[in-house]
Amino acid sequence: MKKSLYWLLAVVITLVLSIYQRMTGPTYPKKVTIELNGENYKIKLPRSGVQKDEIITLKDVPRQNHMILHYRRYPTSEDYTTMDFEWADNAWQAALPVQPVAGKLQYYITVNGKDYPADEPLVIRFRNDVPASILVPHILLMFAAMLFAVYTFLLVMTRKKYSKWLKVTVGTLFVGGFILGPLVQHAAFGPWWAGFPYGTDLTDNKTLLSFLLFLIALVTLKWKYNKWVVALAVLFMIVIFSIPHSAYGSEYDYTTQQLKK
């Protein structure tokens, strides 16, 4: 197999994993279908907001309806605050009030007496706006680390030389996950690191575990069974990076009025 095909396959696998992780994450907008008079209207409800009121805009729902927004601070047992949507700029609009950094709101909407989402309310978390100058390189390098890891795995499985790309994978993962990653975490929520041993942030912890396995693979490079260590590291990376992004992240405690990591 030519190396160009290796790269093509690696890109496809990486794209599939990245899209899956993004779309299953707790910050990705929730797609909801509203049924009115036999017609279906698809809307997107936000699950991540920056430090300003989050305006929920429903553009495709007809004006001849009654729309209500219900929200409360999360996690609390407070009563829901309710407010009517208003018709403005040819769309229904209502605002979720801005919360402290990492503060969350639980909310749902009611259309003509029927609640959406029907299963359970959504949760939206607020953060600081992260500068593109650090967010974009972070995303690109984490994407590149996955790409290089998959390419290394293909070389291992086809008994080609892989040491160069193993080193590139480790270097890229280190810069993306442990230099730019903390910069993004700090800009968004305040802490530089919210994983072990300081917190339970799943994104930080899975990055740490993956890096440690690749570091072991790099240290044992001259071992005759090293290819199996590399394969294990890559497969482990694929599995844990398939876990939704931002799960178990920083959260504001409304009782203590402090940030929980």
Side-chain angles (χ1 to χ4, degrees):
M1 182 183 293
K2 294 183 178 179
K3 289 188 176 181
S4 59
L5 294 178
Y6 282 56
W7 280 115
L8 178 60
L9 184 57
V11 168
V12 170
I13 294 173
T14 304
L15 283 174
V16 170
L17 291 171
S18 299
I19 293 172
Y20 172 79
Q21 183 195 66
R22 170 65 177 164
M23 294 186 68
T24 56
T27 62
Y28 194 76
K30 177 73 172 181
K31 295 180 180 179
V32 177
T33 300
I34 295 176
E35 183 178 352
L36 294 170
N37 301 321
E39 295 284 340
N40 289 331
Y41 299 90
K42 295 182 179 180
I43 62 174
K44 290 184 179 181
L45 298 176
R47 291 191 287 178
S48 178
V50 294
Q51 286 297 288
K52 62 181 180 180
D53 290 354
E54 182 69 25
I55 307 298
I56 300 178
T57 303
L58 310 178
K59 295 182 178 180
D60 299 326
V61 181
R63 187 172 183 178
Q64 295 79 16
N65 294 284
H66 187 204
M67 313 276 293
I68 304 174
L69 173 66
H70 312 262
Y71 67 86
R72 68 180 178 186
R73 297 185 300 179
Y74 179 87
T76 70
S77 57
E78 300 172 343
D79 292 334
Y80 281 95
T81 298
T82 63
M83 62 183 298
D84 289 334
F85 276 79
E86 296 183 355
W87 185 262
D89 299 325
N90 295 318
W92 288 106
Q93 294 185 2
L96 289 168
V98 63
Q99 299 297 297
V101 172
K104 297 179 180 180
L105 291 176
Q106 188 174 44
Y107 78 97
Y108 65 98
I109 65 175
T110 300
V111 182
N112 295 346
K114 188 173 182 179
D115 297 336
Y116 297 92
D119 48 359
E120 62 179 333
L122 299 178
V123 174
I124 180 172
R125 181 174 65 164
F126 288 80
R127 58 174 174 79
N128 290 319
D129 196 13
V130 181
S133 57
I134 59 175
L135 181 60
V136 173
H138 166 67
I139 293 173
L140 291 178
L141 282 176
M142 295 306 291
F143 178 90
M146 175 65 76
L147 175 64
F148 296 147
V150 173
Y151 182 71
T152 303
F153 178 79
L154 293 176
L155 293 177
V156 168
M157 292 296 98
T158 52
R159 300 181 180 181
K160 300 287 194 302
K161 292 183 179 180
Y162 59 85
S163 60
K164 170 187 173 181
W165 290 105
L166 174 61
K167 295 174 183 177
V168 171
T169 300
V170 173
T172 306
L173 183 58
F174 177 78
V175 176
F178 296 96
I179 295 180
L180 292 173
L183 289 174
V184 171
Q185 176 76 267
H186 177 68
F189 300 110
W192 291 94
W193 180 261
F196 180 83
Y198 303 107
T200 59
D201 184 277
L202 195 55
T203 299
D204 285 351
N205 282 330
K206 68 184 184 181
T207 302
L208 176 61
L209 289 172
S210 183
F211 180 75
L212 288 177
L213 271 180
F214 274 104
L215 200 58
I216 292 172
L218 187 60
V219 171
T220 61
L221 188 58
K222 295 187 181 298
W223 188 36
K224 63 178 180 179
Y225 298 115
N226 175 256
K227 64 179 181 179
W228 300 114
V229 181
V230 175
L232 177 63
V234 176
L235 291 175
F236 183 79
M237 182 188 218
I238 291 174
V239 171
I240 66 172
F241 274 76
S242 297
I243 299 172
H245 192 66
S246 298
Y248 298 102
S250 300
E251 180 178 278
Y252 184 81
D253 189 328
Y254 288 102
T255 302
T256 62
Q257 296 186 354
Q258 293 181 347
L259 181 69
K260 295 193 303 182
K261 298 178 184 178

